[in-house]
Amino acid sequence: MARSEHRAGKPISIDGVAKTYASRSGAAVEALEPLSLSIPAGEFLVIVGPSGCGKSTLLYMLAGFSAPTAGRILIEGDAISGPDIDRGMVFQSYALFPWLSVIGNVEFGLERKGIARGERRRIAMEYLQLVGLQDFADKQVNELSGGMKQRVALVRAFATEPSVIFMDEPFGALDALTRRFLQKELLRIWQEHRKTIVFITHSVPEAVVLGDRVVVMTARPGRIKCVIPIDLPHPRDPTADGFRDIERRIFGELDEELAKTFADEGRAADV
């Protein structure tokens, strides 16, 4: 598939979605209160919130790995009923196949789509060139650094031409310099392809660097506290006043939620 044929992203509609789990004791645990959100096609949406607030739970429902207890999720009007090749996923832990070469990992989804061997190799090499890994195509993944592995994970997600890509703290385990480099790489690929991206992070600066909008979630049970637009041009300067203003606002919203969490834990300990 030539780059001129890249498919645009699709809109996502989250309508009254909630999630309740059964604990080991059988008690119901409310992970997410009902929440609704519309994500336009091609948007880069970032979600932040306290640990345990249900960010990953929401992402896994969007990806089709888990079903909501209530509500529904639609992608361009179609209900999600399970995982699909049209939805890419990038995890924090790389999730590469160690028995495959670098190019074999990128080709994996293309093979599932039924693309002929020669064509899928051409596509895989095109994407590896996009992130400067063409000379490592025949290496095994255990020969790569953490940053290189995550570059492979990124292009594997994009190579199958999904409409939407979900990313669960993909740079969380990387050092600061590698993380900054991969943020730039991701933005460059996204600006070219304009897929719809939903990205989870614990890093407020990362959220402001990347997102068109930032969704701030409350402490568990999670719900949407506020949605903050990031009306700053790319590339964004973390030292600029506008950047710092948005960063302070997000930190302020999160600090309120953390204070509530600690207060609740203190009351529970006193019981």
Side-chain angles (χ1 to χ4, degrees), residues 20 25 44 104 130 142 151 184 197 204 207 231 233:
T20 301
S25 66
F44 198 128
L130 194 63
N142 61 7
R151 275 188 276 170
K184 293 179 179 179
I197 293 181
V204 171
D231 296 321

Side-chain angles (χ1 to χ4, degrees), residues 61-79:
M61 288 191 290
L62 288 167
F65 298 147
S66 174
T69 307
R72 61 180 186 163
I73 301 171
L74 306 175
I75 295 183
E76 203 171 50
D78 295 326

Side-chain angles (χ1 to χ4, degrees), residues 42-261:
E43 182 174 59
F44 198 128
L45 184 82
V46 181
I47 302 175
V48 298
S51 294
C53 72
K55 300 184 299 295
S56 293
T57 297
L58 176 59
L59 198 74
Y60 287 9
M61 288 191 290
L62 288 167
F65 298 147
S66 174
T69 307
R72 61 180 186 163
I73 301 171
L74 306 175
I75 295 183
E76 203 171 50
D78 295 326
I80 292 177
S81 58
D84 192 279
I85 196 72
D86 194 42
R87 298 188 295 276
M89 186 81 188
V90 181
F91 301 92
Q92 180 176 342
S93 59
Y94 316 126
L96 299 176
F97 303 123
W99 60 89
L100 294 178
S101 65
V102 167
I103 196 166
N105 270 277
V106 181
E107 288 184 23
F108 181 80
L110 299 169
E111 185 176 6
R112 284 187 60 202
K113 291 186 72 174
I115 296 174
R117 182 176 181 180
E119 178 65 3
R120 66 176 182 255
R121 188 168 188 88
R122 184 194 69 76
I123 294 170
M125 283 302 298
E126 176 184 296
Y127 278 89
L128 288 173
Q129 288 169 359
L130 194 63
V131 293
L133 290 178
Q134 65 273 16
D135 293 338
F136 294 84
D138 295 320
K139 299 289 187 182
Q140 297 301 119
V141 294
N142 61 7
E143 300 179 73
L144 305 183
S145 68
M148 294 168 76
K149 288 177 183 176
Q150 201 58 298
R151 275 188 276 170
V152 175
L154 283 177
V155 296
R156 182 177 66 177
F158 277 89
T160 56
E161 286 292 328
S163 298
V164 296
I165 297 177
F166 304 115
M167 311 186 78
D168 192 7
E169 296 191 70
F171 308 145
L174 302 175
D175 65 86
L177 289 176
T178 303
R179 185 172 191 154
R180 186 168 180 265
F181 172 78
L182 287 183
Q183 288 168 356
K184 293 179 179 179
E185 289 290 283
L186 174 58
L187 278 173
R188 181 169 61 86
I189 298 170
W190 170 72
Q191 287 170 333
E192 179 178 342
H193 295 245
R194 288 296 171 177
K195 305 300 183 185
T196 307
I197 293 181
V198 181
F199 185 105
I200 286 178
T201 182
H202 276 104
S203 168
V204 171
E206 180 168 76
V208 183
V209 164
L210 296 175
D212 289 329
R213 292 186 298 164
V214 175
V215 173
V216 180
M217 294 187 66
T218 67
R220 196 180 71 183
R223 56 181 172 79
I224 294 174
K225 182 175 187 181
C226 60
V227 181
I228 300 173
I230 313 296
D231 296 321
L232 300 173
H234 290 293
R236 293 171 180 165
D237 179 3
T239 66
D241 290 342
F243 190 103
R244 292 283 180 85
D245 289 343
I246 296 170
E247 193 177 49
R248 279 193 291 270
R249 180 182 172 189
I250 296 172
F251 272 124
E253 299 287 356
L254 292 172
D255 286 345
E256 286 183 6
E257 295 308 308
L258 288 172
K260 292 176 187 175
T261 299

